[in-house]
Coordinates of all heavy atoms in Angstrom, one line a residue:
S166 N 13.4 53.9 -23.9 CA 14.1 53.3 -22.7 C 15.3 54.0 -22.4 O 16.3 54.2 -23.2 CB 14.4 51.8 -23.1 OG 15.2 51.2 -22.2
L167 N 15.4 54.5 -21.1 CA 16.6 55.2 -20.7 C 17.2 54.6 -19.4 O 18.1 55.2 -18.8 CB 16.3 56.7 -20.4 CG 16.3 57.6 -21.7 CD1 15.9 59.0 -21.3 CD2 17.6 57.6 -22.4
S168 N 16.7 53.4 -19.0 CA 17.2 52.8 -17.8 C 17.1 51.3 -17.9 O 16.4 50.8 -18.8 CB 16.4 53.3 -16.6 OG 15.1 52.8 -16.6
G169 N 17.8 50.6 -17.0 CA 17.7 49.1 -17.0 C 16.3 48.7 -16.7 O 15.9 47.6 -17.2
W170 N 15.6 49.4 -15.9 CA 14.2 49.1 -15.6 C 13.3 49.2 -16.8 O 12.5 48.3 -17.1 CB 13.7 50.0 -14.4 CG 12.3 49.7 -14.1 CD1 11.2 50.5 -14.3 CD2 11.7 48.6 -13.4 NE1 10.1 50.0 -13.8 CE2 10.4 48.8 -13.2 CE3 12.3 47.4 -12.9 CZ2 9.5 47.8 -12.6 CZ3 11.5 46.5 -12.2 CH2 10.1 46.7 -12.1
D171 N 13.5 50.3 -17.6 CA 12.7 50.4 -18.8 C 13.0 49.3 -19.7 O 12.0 48.7 -20.3 CB 13.1 51.7 -19.5 CG 12.6 53.0 -18.8 OD1 11.7 52.9 -18.0 OD2 13.2 54.1 -19.0
R172 N 14.2 48.9 -19.9 CA 14.6 47.8 -20.8 C 13.9 46.5 -20.3 O 13.4 45.8 -21.1 CB 16.1 47.6 -20.8 CG 16.6 46.4 -21.5 CD 18.1 46.1 -21.3 NE 18.8 47.1 -22.0 CZ 19.2 46.9 -23.3 NH1 18.7 45.8 -23.9 NH2 19.9 47.8 -23.9
K173 N 14.0 46.2 -19.0 CA 13.5 45.0 -18.5 C 11.9 44.9 -18.7 O 11.4 43.9 -19.1 CB 13.8 44.8 -17.0 CG 13.4 43.5 -16.4 CD 14.0 42.3 -17.2 CE 15.5 42.4 -17.1 NZ 16.1 41.2 -17.8
I174 N 11.2 46.0 -18.5 CA 9.8 46.1 -18.7 C 9.5 45.8 -20.2 O 8.5 45.0 -20.5 CB 9.2 47.4 -18.3 CG1 9.3 47.6 -16.8 CG2 7.8 47.6 -18.8 CD1 8.5 46.6 -16.0
S175 N 10.2 46.4 -21.1 CA 10.0 46.1 -22.5 C 10.3 44.7 -22.9 O 9.5 44.1 -23.6 CB 10.8 47.1 -23.3 OG 10.6 46.9 -24.7
E176 N 11.3 44.1 -22.3 CA 11.7 42.7 -22.6 C 10.6 41.8 -22.1 O 10.2 40.8 -22.8 CB 13.0 42.4 -22.0 CG 14.2 43.0 -22.6 CD 15.5 42.7 -21.9 OE1 15.5 42.2 -20.8 OE2 16.6 43.0 -22.5
I177 N 10.1 42.1 -20.9 CA 9.0 41.2 -20.4 C 7.8 41.3 -21.2 O 7.1 40.3 -21.5 CB 8.8 41.6 -18.9 CG1 10.0 41.2 -18.0 CG2 7.5 40.9 -18.4 CD1 9.9 41.7 -16.6
R178 N 7.4 42.5 -21.5 CA 6.1 42.8 -22.2 C 6.1 42.1 -23.6 O 5.2 41.4 -24.0 CB 5.9 44.3 -22.4 CG 4.5 44.6 -23.0 CD 4.2 46.0 -22.6 NE 5.2 47.0 -23.1 CZ 5.2 47.4 -24.4 NH1 4.3 47.0 -25.3 NH2 6.2 48.2 -24.8

Side-chain angles (χ1 to χ4, degrees):
S166 170
L167 279 178
S168 68
W170 178 252
D171 289 338
R172 169 189 288 276
K173 186 56 63 178
I174 291 296
S175 183
E176 289 176 349
I177 292 173
R178 189 160 56 83

